[in-house]
């Protein structure tokens, strides 16, 4: 099956709510081996909804609708589908009794328009709504399957899992799973990564390989389809191994991992602690680390040393270094990392100093960054970077580079 998901609701187009229903349904359909090729959002307008359905009919054999099943005049989904499919809407007595029972239970007066919610398409399989009022429905006409689900996620999700999913399983001649794995890379651009594995992408079929760029990061999503979950995993493993042989030095994690969560995980694994001296990043590195549960086991503390006075008085950076090399220098980064490690009695010290912009500092342009990583018993490393972007981008990428530098250093010395 090739599917299209159509979300109906002007509130989605206005940005008042996010379309989490489509995300949920795509995940569910992937597990069933159903390809989702299009997500469409259309407002509460009969003409535009009709146009949307007609387009979907030309490119999908499963169309799932969410929203527009309620009691008001702007709930137009099932009326529109009924007209397009030339099907009558009939009262589902079980759904009507459920709606009436709800109003009786809550001691509210049921208005006449609420009966509209119990109308279903002739010949459709009714999908019970156990967390709301309007039932869903599913039917196949001219080799296209239509499934209508309510818009509220708390109603739609359990309805699909309990009733919609079994209905689709009954339609599938062969049940294939779609399994995905996300590989996360840092320190390599999207274009360079794609160049390194271009031949792997060109000859992809099953699994497929899709590069995605993030904020200073790159991810590869590998997707395999197979009736057996074990065989699907084997396909993913083989594809990953081929990729890692090319660009494994940039791989830092999988799926929902972040650079910050991996730093905490790695520090816990080795039983090590960390402290940070932050100038241009203003405490953002420590804030990201301490936002992760369990960070108290590994994060000793830090110093926001935004001014030279704090660098000198709190972290004992010699005035001669600040005068000769400057605060924005490799030497300052080195000493900041070493001194904050000692001050906080941590195993690792990391420092950030540089120019976030927009104006130059000490004759150095915005984007000039130095990161120091000091590990007890080992020579301190200093990384010199030239970053581009606005002030926020430079600060964000700086702390991510710091994470990656810490991860690489831990791998090298522990």
């Amino acid at each position: 099956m090739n599917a299209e998901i159509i979300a109906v609701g002007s509130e989605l187009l206005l940005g008042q709510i996010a379309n989490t229903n489509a995300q949920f349904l795509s995940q569910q359909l992937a597990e069933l081996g159903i390809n989702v090729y299009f997500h469409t959002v259309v407002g509460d307008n009969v003409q535009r909804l009709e146009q949307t359905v007609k387009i979907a009919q030309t490119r999908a054999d499963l169309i799932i609708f969410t929203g527009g099943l309620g009691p008001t005049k702007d709930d137009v989904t099932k009326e529109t589908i009924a007209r397009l499919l030339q099907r009558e809407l009939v009262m589902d007595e079980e759904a009507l009794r459920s709606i009436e029972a709800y109003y009786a239970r809550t001691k509210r007066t049921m208005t006449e328009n609420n009966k509209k919610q119990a109308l279903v398409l002739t010949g459709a399989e009714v999908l019970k709504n156990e967390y709301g009022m309007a039932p869903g429905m599913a039917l196949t006409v001219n080799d296209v399957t239509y499934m209508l689900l309510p818009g509220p996620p708390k109603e739609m999700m359990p309805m699909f899992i309990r009733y919609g999913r079994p209905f689709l399983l009954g339609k599938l001649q062969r049940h294939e799973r779609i399994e995905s794995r996300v590989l996360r890379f840092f320190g390599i651009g999207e274009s360079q990564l794609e160049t390194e594995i271009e031949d792997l992408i060109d000859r992809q079929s099953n699994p497929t390989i899709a590069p995605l760029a993030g904020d200073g990061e790159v991810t590869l999503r590998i997707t395999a389809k197979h009736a057996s979950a074990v065989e699907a995993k084997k396909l993913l493993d083989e594809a990953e191994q081929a990729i890692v042989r090319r660009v494994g030095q940039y791989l830092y994690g999988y799926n929902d991992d972040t650079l910050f969560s991996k730093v905490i995980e790695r520090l816990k694994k080795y039983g090590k602690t960390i402290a940070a001296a932050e100038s241009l990043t203003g405490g953002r590195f420590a804030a990201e680390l301490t936002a992760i549960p369990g960070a108290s086991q590994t994060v000793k503390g830090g110093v926001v040393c935004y001014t030279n006075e704090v660098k000198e008085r709190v972290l004992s950076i010699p005035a001669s270094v600040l005068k000769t090399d400057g605060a924005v220098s490799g030497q300052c980064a080195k000493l900041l990392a070493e001194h904050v490690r000692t001050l906080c009695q941590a195993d690792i010290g990391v420092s950030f100093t540089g120019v976030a912009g927009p104006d130059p500092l000490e004759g150095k342009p915005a984007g000039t960054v130095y990161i120091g990583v000091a590990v007890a018993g080992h020579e301190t490393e200093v990384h010199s970077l030239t970053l581009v972007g606005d002030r926020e981008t430079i600060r964000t990428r700086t702390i991510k580079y710091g994470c990656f530098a810490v991860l690489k250093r831990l791998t090298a010395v522990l």
Side-chain angles (χ1 to χ4, degrees), residues 1-4 29-30 33-38 61-62 178 225:
M1 277 189 177
N2 297 328
E4 178 160 351
L29 295 176
I34 297 174
N35 305 306
V36 179
Y37 288 148
F38 298 95
D61 40 37
L62 169 63
I178 296 177
K225 180 185 288 189

Side-chain angles (χ1 to χ4, degrees), residues 2-7 19 22 26 29 35-41 52 55-64:
N2 297 328
E4 178 160 351
I5 299 169
I6 299 177
N19 189 11
S26 285
L29 295 176
N35 305 306
V36 179
Y37 288 148
F38 298 95
H39 282 187
T40 303
V41 179
T52 300
I55 293 171
Q57 287 171 329
T58 67
R59 61 192 186 186
D61 40 37
L62 169 63
I63 308 172
I64 300 182

Side-chain angles (χ1 to χ4, degrees), residues 30-190:
E31 291 183 6
L32 298 177
I34 297 174
N35 305 306
V36 179
Y37 288 148
F38 298 95
H39 282 187
T40 303
V41 179
V42 62
D44 303 306
N45 178 279
V46 173
Q47 289 73 33
R48 287 192 285 273
L49 179 55
E50 283 185 355
Q51 293 170 2
T52 300
V53 176
K54 288 176 181 178
I55 293 171
Q57 287 171 329
T58 67
R59 61 192 186 186
D61 40 37
L62 169 63
I63 308 172
I64 300 182
F65 301 84
T66 61
L69 304 184
T72 60
K73 289 184 178 180
D74 62 354
D75 291 308
V76 297
T77 301
K78 58 188 170 187
E79 289 82 359
T80 303
I81 303 304
R83 185 166 51 256
L84 286 173
L85 299 183
Q86 298 182 340
R87 293 288 178 115
E88 291 185 5
L89 287 170
V90 296
M91 189 68 66
D92 183 80
E93 295 299 330
E94 184 178 351
L96 180 60
R97 287 194 297 272
S98 176
I99 294 169
E100 291 172 339
Y102 168 80
Y103 277 95
R105 190 167 58 252
T106 57
K107 297 180 180 180
R108 294 165 56 194
T109 301
M110 176 177 159
T111 56
E112 189 66 22
N113 62 348
N114 276 287
K115 292 183 179 179
K116 174 187 172 185
Q117 296 186 90
L119 293 173
V120 298
L121 294 161
T122 303
E125 180 168 326
V126 178
L127 312 179
K128 291 183 182 180
N129 190 339
E130 296 173 345
Y131 293 86
M133 286 184 275
M137 62 204 81
L139 76 164
T140 301
V141 178
N142 297 328
D143 297 322
V144 177
T145 297
Y146 303 82
M147 183 174 287
L148 284 64
L149 301 170
K154 67 181 179 64
E155 299 177 27
M156 187 278 293
M157 292 179 182
M159 179 187 291
F160 181 83
I161 291 171
R162 182 163 293 187
Y163 302 109
R165 184 182 172 108
F167 175 87
L168 293 176
L169 280 171
K171 289 286 181 181
L172 293 171
Q173 294 179 350
R174 181 183 178 197
H175 178 208
E176 287 186 320
R177 294 179 63 89
I178 296 177
E179 299 282 351
S180 290
R181 181 181 303 167
V182 176
L183 310 184
R184 297 192 170 275
F185 300 85
F186 190 82
I188 185 172
E190 182 183 17

Side-chain angles (χ1 to χ4, degrees), residues 170-374:
K171 289 286 181 181
L172 293 171
Q173 294 179 350
R174 181 183 178 197
H175 178 208
E176 287 186 320
R177 294 179 63 89
I178 296 177
E179 299 282 351
S180 290
R181 181 181 303 167
V182 176
L183 310 184
R184 297 192 170 275
F185 300 85
F186 190 82
I188 185 172
E190 182 183 17
S191 58
Q192 183 186 346
L193 178 63
E194 189 168 332
T195 298
E196 295 289 340
I197 61 170
E198 186 173 10
D199 59 315
L200 300 179
I201 295 175
D202 288 343
R203 65 172 185 259
Q204 64 179 329
S205 57
N206 185 25
T208 59
I209 303 170
L212 304 166
D215 189 3
E217 301 183 33
V218 185
T219 61
L220 289 177
R221 187 183 65 244
I222 315 171
T223 304
K225 180 185 288 189
H226 202 282
S228 164
V230 173
E231 290 300 317
K233 180 180 181 300
K234 182 180 177 182
L235 289 170
L236 293 177
D237 290 342
E238 290 172 353
E240 179 186 335
Q241 289 163 14
I243 292 167
V244 168
R245 283 194 290 269
R246 311 278 186 91
V247 289
Q249 67 269 37
Y250 303 105
L251 177 68
Y252 77 81
Y254 299 88
N255 299 324
D256 295 328
D257 287 338
T258 68
L259 284 160
F260 305 100
S261 69
K262 292 303 291 184
V263 166
I264 295 297
E265 178 188 301
R266 196 74 57 83
L267 289 169
K268 285 182 178 179
K269 176 182 177 180
Y270 293 122
K272 301 298 180 182
T273 57
I274 194 170
E278 303 188 59
S279 184
L280 84 155
T281 52
R284 290 188 59 183
F285 178 79
E288 291 286 355
L289 289 185
T290 54
I292 298 167
S296 60
Q297 299 174 38
T298 61
V299 180
K300 277 293 192 78
V303 177
V304 177
C305 48
Y306 213 61
T307 65
N308 282 358
E309 180 183 12
V310 173
K311 291 180 179 71
E312 187 175 349
R313 292 180 58 186
V314 178
L315 289 168
S316 305
I317 305 302
S320 59
V321 170
L322 295 172
K323 182 177 180 180
T324 304
D325 297 275
V328 183
S329 67
Q331 181 63 11
C332 184
K334 176 179 181 294
L335 295 176
L336 285 171
E338 293 171 349
H339 292 183
V340 78
R341 187 189 71 77
T342 302
L343 177 68
C344 295
Q345 297 182 326
D347 299 301
I348 301 159
V350 61
S351 68
F352 304 90
T353 185
V355 188
D359 301 318
L361 181 66
E362 298 180 349
K364 299 179 178 71
T368 303
V369 172
Y370 294 93
I371 299 172
V373 181

